[in-house]
Amino acid sequence: MRSSAGNAELALLLEVAGTPKPGNVDRHRDLADLCFEHFLAGAVGARDGLELAADGAAVGPAFERAVDGMATQDGGNTQFGALLLLVPLVRAARTELSQPVVEATVEETTVGDAAAFYRAFEHVDVAVADPPDDMAALDVRRGGDAIPELEARGLTLFDVMDRSVPGDDVAREWVRGFDRSFAAAERLAAADGPISDRTAATFLSLLAERPDTLVATRHDEATARSVTDRAAALVEADALETDPSAVEAFAEDLVDRGINPGTTADVTAAGLFIALEHEAIDV
């Protein structure tokens, strides 16, 4: 039987192996600066941090360790957002992997957890939006240099996530009880076929529901909305079953245009972990 840390590592591996995932690295396509092997190495590298969370370590230090390990491969940021979801989920699984327990886990984070989160940005470059003027001193891209201001304001990691919504749907999961992550797990369990196909279908359904906030950050809201509209049309047409070439074309088009719905992939990875922990899918 796999441990929770093992299931989290497996979730990262299954997420990147699912195909097609339009605009994202999968086993059939790479991006200009990231390839399939980088994600495999990132998942393996994150294992020590995931083990810390499974052993009961605080969320912030476990997350920083996971990111540090992830970043040892040559591609850079592969799974930062996914780990920000997985670490508290793994930590919660020590008690019970349910939404109330996960909510309590993130709400109990401390200023120390927030400081570790900021230090994690020193290990890898992460695409984030510019903060409002009154939050400039707390720009996460400042890394450890922002910690004195963080401590002066007494902000916990949950507070930091709360201030990142709207605009960051990984943070939104933290403040909304991981609702999309648990919904993704239910879809994975209800779907038919190999886990790779289920992963692709779940990713596309999530992308069809909400504009991806990473796309909005790197491009603009209109681009993110247009991607969601195209995904919704494919879901409505059941294109993965009736016209898989249309989904493949969508995937290639987004890669060619440098449009990467990475936040949707993060939520998919979280859903895979929940489904694995609940033994709702077999691998």
Side-chain angles (χ1 to χ4, degrees), residues 2-281:
R2 283 184 299 269
S3 66
S4 292
N7 275 335
E9 180 183 21
L10 180 57
L12 292 171
L13 295 170
L14 291 174
E15 188 283 316
V16 74
T19 186
K21 297 197 319 295
N24 286 267
V25 171
D26 61 31
R27 71 179 189 274
H28 289 165
R29 55 185 57 79
D30 297 331
L31 305 183
D33 55 349
L34 284 173
C35 68
F36 183 64
E37 291 82 1
H38 291 143
F39 280 78
L40 300 182
V44 173
R47 179 64 181 260
D48 283 350
L50 296 168
E51 293 278 9
L52 281 179
D55 289 342
V59 169
F63 173 71
E64 184 187 1
R65 175 74 67 85
V67 170
D68 187 19
M70 175 207 75
T72 56
Q73 39 73 34
D74 294 333
N77 178 20
T78 49
Q79 293 124 329
F80 188 98
L83 290 170
L84 190 52
L85 297 176
L86 287 172
V87 168
L89 287 168
V90 170
R91 181 67 175 78
R94 288 172 52 84
T95 303
E96 177 189 36
L97 188 52
S98 65
Q99 286 186 263
V101 174
V102 178
E103 286 177 322
T105 299
V106 296
E107 289 171 1
E108 291 167 0
T109 55
T110 66
V111 176
D113 290 315
F117 170 71
Y118 271 73
R119 287 192 297 269
F121 282 83
E122 298 179 353
H123 300 302
V124 68
D125 290 330
V126 182
V128 295
D130 293 330
D133 291 343
D134 64 337
M135 293 288 286
L138 289 169
D139 189 335
V140 291
R141 292 169 294 192
R142 298 185 63 219
D145 290 342
I147 291 175
E149 182 67 19
L150 185 78
E151 293 174 337
R153 299 195 191 190
L155 297 177
T156 69
L157 183 49
F158 183 82
D159 293 332
V160 172
M161 294 297 106
D162 190 40
R163 284 161 172 75
S164 301
V165 180
D168 183 339
D169 270 6
V170 169
R172 181 179 182 271
E173 285 295 279
W174 271 57
V175 301
R176 292 283 296 270
F178 289 66
D179 55 353
R180 298 185 78 211
S181 299
F182 278 87
E186 292 177 0
R187 294 175 197 181
L188 286 158
D192 296 321
I195 190 60
S196 175
D197 293 349
R198 297 188 195 194
T199 299
T202 298
F203 172 89
L204 192 64
S205 71
L206 291 168
L207 185 59
E209 288 177 348
R210 284 181 61 83
D212 188 283
T213 50
L214 181 61
V215 174
T217 296
R218 288 182 170 174
H219 300 273
D220 51 47
E221 294 284 351
T223 300
R225 170 55 64 185
S226 70
V227 169
T228 284
D229 289 345
R230 290 179 67 185
L234 291 168
V235 169
E236 184 177 359
D238 195 21
L240 280 169
E241 291 293 331
T242 64
D243 188 9
S245 63
V247 185
E248 292 285 353
F250 180 38
E252 293 295 340
D253 178 56
L254 293 191
V255 169
D256 290 345
R257 295 165 59 197
I259 297 173
N260 169 217
T263 302
T264 307
D266 297 336
V267 175
T268 303
L272 282 161
F273 170 72
I274 295 166
L276 288 167
E277 279 289 296
H278 289 171
E279 299 182 352
I281 55 176

